Amino acid sequence: MSKIFLSHTNTDKPFVRKLASDLRRFGHTVWIDEAEINIGDSLIGKIREGLDLVDYVAVVLSKASIDSPWVQKEVEIASNREIEEKKVLVLPLIIEDIELPGFLKGKFYGDFSKESEYSEKLDVLLRSLGDSKSVIQEKSDVLTKLKADLEEAKQVAEKHRKEIEKVNEYNLLNKSEKLRTRILEENEKHPKYAPINTVYAFELGDSDIPITLGYLLWVISKIQLQGSHQIEWLLELEDKWNLAIKMLEAYSDMLNSEPN
């Protein structure tokens, strides 16, 4: 991967930030003043340090930057390195319809002046920087694996869902028709009660009264308001308070497992 210094003016920050983000996304290291220079640092010292450490200096050229003394100085330093090291170091990137300044004439440049062609020009720049395609392939492989893992997880979840449905169907078959009807009616109104009703709903045998979670909660609220309710006495009479308590404990566990 390459290290790139982005030479620019403040006027062109929006484009520079977008380009920096895309270059990092493809695995390259980007030197940009707002990220590398801290309060109290020597501007000239930090910029010179950045220019000495990078593999390329991408010069973002606009009407504002070609007249910037800072940009001109940065390009001068980078050009001297280019001559000394005898390799391409300075990469001109035009973002407006301008003529290349004299100190960059004769260089092949990247034309980012048309926003609609940004992706195409970015690909050209990435090829110049090298090694980007391997990063693209690596990310593609990771994405393919993630998709495969997601599909496998979905299949497992679907299998469990079908198993749960079979268990629920079996539980309902072991209940009376009247109780099944009441369970289905309540589950339609309160879907989150369904797992509890399917397993724990019961009947008061002698009176044939379906006791579902919703109905039990309603009875408890009546007991709290009025001090008693006839269902309370029937539960006591038929010794089925233990079934009601199991239903309420399951409801409590369900509430405690829900995210806050």
Side-chain angles (χ1 to χ4, degrees):
M1 295 299 101
S2 300
K3 297 178 182 177
I4 305 101
F5 183 106
L6 291 181
S7 177
H8 65 285
T9 63
N10 284 333
T11 305
D12 304 323
K13 282 288 186 193
F15 172 83
V16 170
R17 287 172 182 155
K18 175 180 172 61
L19 179 61
S21 175
D22 286 333
L23 291 174
R24 290 181 181 122
R25 182 164 56 87
F26 285 97
H28 298 291
T29 301
V30 179
W31 201 105
I32 181 172
D33 56 9
E34 63 186 19
E36 307 296 337
I37 299 178
N38 299 314
I39 295 174
D41 286 344
S42 165
L43 289 175
I44 295 176
K46 290 294 288 186
I47 290 173
R48 182 58 194 254
E49 178 185 327
L51 289 168
D52 287 342
L53 293 175
V54 296
D55 301 306
Y56 297 98
V57 176
V59 189
V60 179
L61 296 168
S62 64
K63 293 181 177 69
S65 68
I66 59 175
D67 293 325
S68 167
W70 279 103
V71 172
Q72 292 177 13
K73 186 63 177 176
E74 288 166 359
V75 174
E76 179 185 345
I77 294 171
S79 296
N80 288 335
R81 261 195 68 193
E82 192 173 67
I83 293 171
E84 291 172 5
E85 298 175 18
K86 297 179 181 180
K87 66 177 185 179
V88 174
L89 184 73
V90 180
L91 306 175
L93 306 177
I94 292 177
I95 63 172
E96 290 181 347
D97 186 14
I98 60 170
E99 184 178 346
L100 277 178
F103 55 88
L104 288 175
K105 279 188 176 178
K107 271 191 168 288
F108 181 75
Y109 60 86
D111 188 353
F112 287 84
S113 60
K114 295 178 181 177
E115 189 174 350
S116 60
E117 298 178 0
Y118 177 85
S119 296
E120 176 186 339
K121 302 303 180 182
L122 177 63
D123 286 342
V124 175
L125 176 59
L126 290 171
R127 286 199 296 273
S128 299
L129 298 176
D131 293 333
S132 293
K133 293 303 178 183
S134 61
V135 175
I136 295 173
Q137 183 60 46
E138 180 181 340
K139 291 189 175 184
S140 177
D141 292 342
V142 170
L143 182 59
T144 299
K145 185 177 185 307
L146 284 174
K147 287 181 177 179
D149 290 345
L150 178 59
E151 185 59 33
E152 183 178 349
K154 285 168 64 178
Q155 291 175 3
V156 171
E158 180 64 17
K159 179 182 177 182
H160 286 311
R161 185 186 67 79
K162 290 180 177 178
E163 289 175 351
I164 290 171
E165 285 181 352
K166 288 180 180 179
V167 171
N168 289 339
E169 288 174 5
Y170 176 79
N171 287 329
L172 285 174
L173 286 174
N174 285 281
K175 301 184 187 300
S176 71
E177 184 177 349
K178 183 176 181 180
L179 182 54
R180 285 202 305 270
T181 301
R182 185 70 188 93
I183 288 172
L184 294 173
E185 288 174 353
E186 184 170 294
N187 290 352
E188 187 174 353
K189 293 180 181 178
H190 305 285
K192 70 177 184 178
Y193 292 174
I196 297 172
N197 280 333
T198 304
V199 176
Y200 294 100
F202 62 95
E203 287 178 301
L204 291 174
D206 294 340
S207 52
D208 199 28
I209 299 174
I211 305 297
T212 59
L213 176 60
Y215 184 60
L216 182 59
L217 293 174
W218 178 81
V219 168
I220 291 173
S221 68
K222 288 297 182 182
I223 293 173
Q224 291 173 336
L225 289 173
Q226 301 172 2
S228 64
H229 190 277
Q230 62 177 350
I231 294 298
E232 179 182 10
W233 304 112
L234 289 172
L235 288 169
E236 187 74 31
L237 181 65
E238 297 187 16
D239 194 23
K240 289 188 176 178
W241 263 114
N242 61 321
L243 298 179
I245 289 171
K246 286 182 180 179
M247 187 185 297
L248 293 173
E249 287 176 344
Y251 181 54
S252 176
D253 290 341
M254 184 186 75
L255 294 178
N256 290 332
S257 66
E258 290 180 348
N260 296 328

